[in-house]
Amino acid sequence: MEILRGIAVGPGIAIGEAVVLDAEDFRIPCRSVARAAVEQEREKFQQAVEGSIGELERQTQWLLGNLGREAANVFAWHIGVLKDAKLQQGILRHIQEKAYSAAYATSTVMREYQRRFLQMSDPLLVERIRDVRDIERRLLRNILGDTREDLAHLTKPAVLIAHDLTPTQTAQLADTLVTGVALDVGGATSHTAILLHSWGRPSVIGLNDVSTRLSGGDTVIIDAVNQLVIANPDETTLNEYRRQESNYTRLAAELDTLRDLPSITRDGESVHLLSNVEFPHEARTSLAKGAEGVGLFRTEFLFLQPSGFPSEEDQYRAYLETVRAMQGRPVTIRTFDLGADKYTQEKRYEHERNPMLGLRSIRYSLANVGMFKTQLRAILRAAVEGEVRLMFPLLMSLMEFRQAKMTLHDAMEDLEEAGIPYRRELPVGIMLETPAAAIQVKEFCREVDFISIGTNDLLQYLVAVDRGNEEVSRFYDPSHPALLRTLADVMSACTKAGRDCSLCGEMAGSPLYALFLLGIGLRSFSMAPANIPEIKKLIRLATVAQARRVARRALTFETERQVTSYLREETRKLLPEDPI
Ligand code: PEP
Ligand code: MG
């Protein structure tokens, strides 16, 4: 049994067989074989070694003839590893003694081998890990044939283990039998994490080397409550987790019964609970979880599809579908927030030097006015059919806001000239996500119709910690007193100015911060649909007076640790049964 600690991004517990996805998507169909088949598996492995060596020798000959000795030497090391008697014996022993299938034994031993290289301090040796992966894949191909499977073809539920997933792969999980995910990389609010969160199943990320520690077929527990991944658990652990899993399912079912109850505090204050969505189909999930509207539609995900760039018509259809699905409830559409960790298919490989501080969000839109205007036209057209609000991301100056509004007027003129119906009067707001905008909140309040606080970015820029980098994720803590104070100041400025203010960062969906946010005056929370029931439960148990007291006290602490332990204690008084 092996226990790994990471960052939890989805709720609950998943138990299942691992599917390890590497760049070539090999999937190991079974972990062990019947005793009678052991000899056959040993032979399969030996043939795979011979086959792999044969391939490499042929490639070496070709390289020698065509590109010279230096190029031909590339595979000498691969051949050496494959001929290594100790390695072969190790794999054969696993097959013999544990009745592992040839593929599973190969993958287990080769991953152990990769891990040894990962731990080396010499960067040249760390580079060798790629070679080892290459050898593993070659062997697997020789054992399994070309039967690679993508996730869409899973025939039974499984837990997915991977180094990383692209937003596109993550978005497709909903159509598969995957029940939980564990990844090597990622921070709590990276965009892959956000999509995993919307998917609503247990995921733990930032685990560093989980994809080399586990092999396809291993039994694995994803414990998103305690941020753990447990590989090959012993019987006692497995039974305990099975019990917790069914408890969790029961709690989730209880929460769903709150769907149609009003979100109102014990002392009668209404609180709006809205959803964050990335794709139109999530509007239906939002309603199922009791959302009163969409507080954040992250439209850039429409731009990240492998099918390429969406036309004005594609976008119009997507916005319209969302607006219609919400049946008259408000829908806040954010213009695309590309750049940083979200690249279009064409720009996927041209990363900037410092992308979080680079050409992202509104800057990217203003630098690509044609694309920006196309999107604005599509939004203006869809807005005819519902209560749409428009919002621009990551503003750092009023000049940007004015420029964006000018582009909006240009888009309106285009539609006017073409005689296409559109909505002229729609509220236009900003996401407050930079310290600069927080400091200038009063000035922004004079020009915008509403503000939505994006704490995922605001925190990363306040504390100078990349939100997607697992190496520094321990410093990325929403309990930081500087963030709490900034939020209290922004709320108070908006209240004074009479500006509508909501919060749509991940914090809004975390029960730990609900009392604090309520206490500083927030009345509009936007979050992943899966979080709505629990936040509603908490709101219905709280009073505004109590929340104000909690917020006042939370603002007196000097460190994140004090804040967290205080908020946890206060939240547990209301939700003693829930994992906080
Ligand atoms: C945020 O930054 O808090 C936010 C909601 O936007 P995103 O996570 O899409 O950057
Ligand atoms: Mg943001």
Side-chain angles (χ1 to χ4, degrees):
M1 172 158 112
E2 202 171 358
I3 302 179
L4 310 173
R5 182 170 290 278
I7 304 162
V9 287
I13 288 162
I15 304 172
E17 232 179 58
V19 165
V20 181
L21 200 71
D22 66 23
E24 291 195 36
D25 300 351
F26 274 115
R27 195 162 90 67
I28 294 166
C30 63
R31 178 185 163 134
S32 48
V33 293
R35 270 277 153 218
V38 161
E39 199 41 46
Q40 206 181 332
E41 291 300 300
R42 283 172 60 95
E43 268 167 36
K44 225 192 248 178
F45 168 69
Q46 266 153 342
Q47 277 165 12
V49 172
E50 277 160 34
S52 300
I53 294 175
E55 282 171 18
L56 287 166
E57 282 174 346
R58 281 191 294 281
Q59 275 177 8
T60 303
Q61 280 311 315
W62 186 90
L63 286 169
L64 198 58
N66 292 280
L67 299 174
R69 177 151 304 280
E70 204 180 329
N73 276 343
V74 169
F75 291 123
W77 194 79
H78 291 216
I79 295 175
V81 171
L82 284 165
K83 287 188 174 167
D84 179 358
K86 245 168 94 189
L87 187 78
Q88 290 192 18
Q89 299 290 305
I91 296 174
L92 288 168
R93 210 173 29 248
H94 273 72
I95 301 175
Q96 184 69 43
E97 290 171 7
K98 300 181 181 163
Y100 281 172
S101 69
Y104 182 74
T106 303
S107 172
T108 307
V109 172
M110 293 306 284
R111 272 156 205 270
E112 171 59 38
Y113 206 61
Q114 285 171 36
R115 209 140 18 93
R116 266 188 263 151
F117 279 101
L118 254 184
Q119 281 151 5
M120 296 192 179
S121 51
D122 180 345
L124 280 179
L125 288 176
V126 174
E127 273 297 296
R128 280 284 183 212
I129 191 162
R130 285 184 196 209
D131 293 286
V132 182
R133 276 201 188 124
D134 207 23
I135 298 167
E136 181 196 349
R137 280 185 210 134
R138 188 180 295 277
L139 279 170
L140 287 177
R141 187 166 36 74
N142 273 288
I143 294 169
L144 298 166
D146 249 340
T147 54
R148 272 172 253 170
E149 285 191 76
D150 65 34
L151 295 173
H153 297 133
L154 282 178
T155 49
K156 56 178 182 181
V159 171
L160 174 65
I161 313 292
H163 176 68
D164 195 7
L165 290 177
T166 62
T168 310
Q169 283 174 310
T170 317
Q172 286 158 353
L173 288 175
D175 295 327
T176 69
L177 292 174
V178 174
T179 57
V181 167
L183 302 180
D184 291 343
V185 300
T189 63
S190 65
H191 287 96
T192 293
I194 283 169
L195 287 173
L196 286 171
H197 200 156
S198 300
W199 175 54
R201 302 282 187 101
S203 321
V204 178
I205 63 170
L207 288 151
N208 212 8
D209 58 358
V210 65
S211 72
T212 58
R213 281 183 183 273
L214 274 110
S215 303
D218 279 347
T219 301
V220 56
I221 299 171
I222 308 280
D223 171 3
V225 180
N226 296 301
Q227 328 219 54
L228 302 176
V229 168
I230 303 173
N232 298 316
D234 56 37
E235 212 40 45
T236 323
T237 312
L238 195 57
N239 288 337
E240 167 57 20
Y241 269 99
R242 288 212 173 104
R243 196 186 57 74
Q244 287 189 28
E245 189 189 25
S246 67
N247 254 354
Y248 194 88
T249 315
R250 181 184 52 80
L251 267 178
E254 270 169 33
L255 281 175
D256 278 347
T257 61
L258 295 174
R259 192 189 60 192
D260 298 321
L261 297 178
S263 159
I264 183 165
T265 61
R266 271 203 297 129
D267 46 357
E269 184 89 14
S270 285
V271 177
H272 301 293
L273 300 183
L274 307 155
S275 64
N276 294 349
V277 303
E278 289 76 36
F279 298 99
H281 68 84
E282 289 172 292
R284 283 182 288 281
T285 330
S286 304
L287 290 183
K289 294 286 175 189
E292 292 171 47
V294 170
L296 167 65
F297 184 169
R298 291 185 165 101
T299 58
E300 62 278 5
F301 287 95
L302 302 173
F303 291 75
L304 304 176
Q305 304 294 331
S307 48
F309 228 69
S311 65
E312 181 175 326
E313 283 312 301
D314 294 336
Q315 292 186 59
Y316 170 62
R317 273 196 298 274
Y319 307 143
L320 196 60
E321 185 186 335
T322 314
V323 169
R324 284 185 179 158
M326 291 309 290
Q327 303 162 12
R329 296 173 182 83
V331 176
T332 304
I333 304 183
R334 168 176 84 182
T335 58
F336 56 78
D337 183 10
L338 290 168
D341 60 344
K342 288 175 288 193
Y343 287 88
T344 53
Q345 291 295 312
E346 302 84 72
K347 291 205 59 163
R348 209 145 54 110
Y349 300 110
E350 303 167 25
H351 285 199
E352 287 173 85
R353 274 192 302 282
N354 205 344
M356 285 297 182
L357 302 181
L359 190 64
R360 67 166 292 206
S361 304
I362 193 68
R363 300 174 195 167
Y364 186 100
S365 302
L366 292 172
N368 292 277
V369 175
M371 195 173 147
F372 190 31
K373 254 208 286 182
T374 304
Q375 178 177 42
L376 292 170
R377 280 196 302 269
I379 296 172
L380 288 165
R381 288 170 57 197
V384 171
E385 292 208 26
E387 204 196 313
V388 171
R389 309 197 310 167
L390 176 70
M391 123 175 130
F392 302 120
L394 206 84
L395 279 284
M396 57 94 194
S397 89
L398 279 161
M399 296 294 288
E400 279 175 331
F401 181 67
R402 290 174 192 159
Q403 237 181 309
K405 270 198 95 169
M406 264 159 41
T407 315
L408 178 65
H409 288 132
D410 288 350
M412 287 182 179
E413 262 172 37
D414 286 356
L415 292 170
E416 192 80 48
E417 271 169 29
I420 299 171
Y422 69 96
R423 183 167 199 142
R424 181 176 287 280
E425 302 300 330
L426 83 173
V428 182
I430 59 154
M431 287 196 65
L432 188 141
E433 304 183 273
T434 62
I439 291 166
Q440 280 199 293
V441 61
K442 271 195 212 129
E443 288 87 335
F444 273 107
C445 277
R446 279 189 225 120
E447 300 197 20
V448 305
D449 295 322
F450 66 92
I451 285 180
S452 182
I453 310 174
T455 43
N456 302 341
D457 276 313
L458 183 56
L459 176 60
Q460 86 162 336
Y461 296 121
L462 264 182
V463 297
V465 175
D466 181 338
R467 62 191 261 194
N469 182 346
E470 67 281 2
E471 300 285 336
V472 286
S473 61
R474 66 187 182 285
F475 305 121
Y476 183 88
D477 188 343
S479 291
H480 197 296
L483 180 66
L484 300 196
R485 215 172 293 166
T486 307
L487 295 178
D489 291 348
V490 167
M491 271 317 304
S492 132
C494 289
T495 311
K496 273 195 201 120
R499 258 322 138 254
D500 174 28
C501 182
S502 58
L503 194 147
C504 61
E506 295 300 291
M507 234 179 143
S510 161
L512 189 64
Y513 299 105
L515 283 174
F516 171 79
L517 295 173
L518 190 64
I520 60 169
L522 189 75
R523 295 293 177 268
S524 183
F525 294 59
S526 191
M527 65 198 83
N531 292 341
I532 292 178
E534 193 174 25
I535 299 295
K536 189 189 275 187
K537 180 175 171 188
L538 187 54
I539 300 273
R540 290 174 57 83
L541 292 167
T543 65
V544 170
Q546 170 192 24
R548 285 204 183 117
R549 182 180 51 74
V550 169
R552 265 200 305 274
R553 179 109 170 89
L555 285 165
T556 63
F557 295 115
E558 288 173 351
T559 66
E560 354 356 351
R561 206 174 281 178
Q562 288 169 313
V563 170
T564 302
S565 75
Y566 172 68
L567 292 180
R568 184 168 289 139
E569 195 183 306
E570 290 297 320
T571 314
R572 278 196 179 139
K573 287 183 193 161
L574 295 178
L575 300 177
E577 257 199 61
D578 298 22
I580 311 268

